[in-house]
Amino acid sequence: MIWRPRVVTILHVIILTVRFVTFWSLLVPVVTISRQLGSLGCQVARFAAEALGYRLFWREVINKAARGCDAPDAALADIDELGLLGLKTSLKASQSYVKAVKRVIEDLAAEGDVVIVGRGGQAILRGRPDVLHVRLVAPAGLRAERLAQRHQISLEGAQAQVEARDRYRRNYLKRFYHIDWDDPELYDMILNTARLSPEEAARQIVQAALKLPFPARQDTLFPYEAIPGAC
C-alpha cells in the first residue's frame, strides 16, 4: 500500500509529460509583422523571410480571404486603405471578410515557417508561444519623405497618405479586433527603422525567431550576403 501513491504519481508525471511533448510538437514558428506606412516593412519582411527560409504572405492573405468569402468588395476595400475608390461595404460583408482573413492566417500559422505581414496577425495569433510579433515604426516625417521619394509625389501629399493610412489601420484593428494598434504589449519586438537599416532590422528578427520553441531549421538559413539589396 505504501508504494501505490508513488506509482500513481509517477504515472501522472508520465501522462503530463506526454501531453506536454505532444502539445509542443504541434507548434511551428511564425513571425507576424505590423508596420507603419513608410517604415520599410516590405523590405524588412522579405529579408527576414529569405534569411529564415520562411514563406512570405502579405497581399496573398487578402486574395485567399476574398476567395473564401462572399464579400469581394470588402477585400477590395481592405486594399484601398486610402479610400481612393470610395467603396462602401456593409457591416455584414466586412465581418464575413474579417472571418475569412482569420481562417487564412490560422491555416498559415498551422503550416508554420511563415512570415505574415499585416492583416491583424498580432491579434489573431496573440498569446501563442510559437509566434513572434514584430512592429516596425519610424517618425511620421521620415516616413513621408521616404514615400515622397519613392513615388515621386509632393511631401504634403505623402504626409496626407501617411496620416490616412495610419488612421485606417488603427481604426480597422479597433473595430474588428478591439485592440489598440499602438499597444506595445501586442508585440515582442518594436523596431525603429529610422535607426536601423532594413538588413539590421531583419537580422534582429531572425535572431529572435531562432529562440522560439521550435526555431528555424539551421539548414534553411543562408548568409545575409545572399539577400538581394532591394525590395
Side-chain angles (χ1 to χ4, degrees):
M1 293 294 295
I2 61 174
W3 289 101
R4 186 175 180 181
R6 190 173 184 180
V7 171
V8 172
T9 300
I10 293 174
L11 288 175
H12 283 170
V13 171
I14 293 174
I15 292 172
L16 290 174
T17 301
V18 170
R19 288 178 178 175
F20 177 81
V21 171
T22 300
F23 169 75
W24 284 96
S25 66
L26 296 175
L27 299 179
V28 282
V30 177
V31 177
T32 72
I33 294 182
S34 172
R35 79 281 184 229
Q36 296 175 327
L37 178 66
S39 64
L40 307 180
C42 172
Q43 290 182 348
V44 174
R46 179 173 295 184
F47 289 166
E50 291 179 345
L52 287 164
Y54 288 5
R55 296 167 298 149
L56 175 63
F57 284 88
W58 174 34
R59 288 284 172 82
E60 296 86 354
V61 173
I62 298 178
N63 296 335
K64 286 176 175 287
R67 291 194 294 268
C69 72
D70 297 323
D73 288 347
L76 188 58
D78 191 18
I79 297 175
D80 182 33
E81 294 181 343
L82 298 178
L84 300 177
L85 300 179
L87 296 173
K88 301 294 183 182
T89 58
S90 67
L91 178 60
K92 181 178 180 180
S94 296
Q95 290 175 336
S96 174
Y97 167 70
V98 169
K99 288 180 180 178
V101 169
K102 183 174 183 291
R103 287 194 299 269
V104 169
I105 288 181
E106 288 176 339
D107 288 345
L108 291 173
E111 297 170 5
D113 292 350
V114 62
V115 174
I116 302 172
V117 179
R119 316 273 73 84
Q122 73 274 48
I124 296 170
L125 303 177
R126 187 176 185 179
R128 288 184 43 157
D130 57 331
V131 180
L132 178 71
H133 297 294
V134 180
R135 190 176 190 205
L136 299 173
V137 301
L142 175 59
R143 293 190 285 130
E145 290 175 6
R146 289 170 173 170
L147 200 64
Q149 183 177 8
R150 179 177 179 182
H151 296 289
Q152 296 298 300
I153 60 177
S154 69
L155 182 59
E156 291 76 13
Q159 289 172 336
Q161 288 193 26
V162 165
E163 293 173 3
R165 195 73 65 89
D166 285 355
R167 183 167 54 252
Y168 174 87
R169 292 176 181 175
R170 187 174 289 109
N171 292 340
Y172 178 89
L173 291 172
K174 183 176 182 180
R175 181 184 185 189
F176 294 111
Y177 297 107
H178 311 292
I179 63 171
D180 180 359
W181 187 39
D182 300 312
D183 183 359
E185 294 188 5
L186 292 171
Y187 310 99
D188 302 301
M189 303 178 68
I190 299 178
L191 302 175
N192 188 341
T193 59
R195 301 178 60 86
L196 299 173
S197 67
E199 293 84 355
E200 179 56 32
R203 189 185 304 277
Q204 292 194 25
I205 292 171
V206 169
Q207 291 175 347
L210 293 176
K211 297 178 182 179
L212 290 174
F214 280 82
R217 296 182 299 273
Q218 293 295 325
D219 60 355
T220 66
L221 303 180
F222 57 86
Y224 273 84
E225 289 73 14
I227 300 177
C231 179

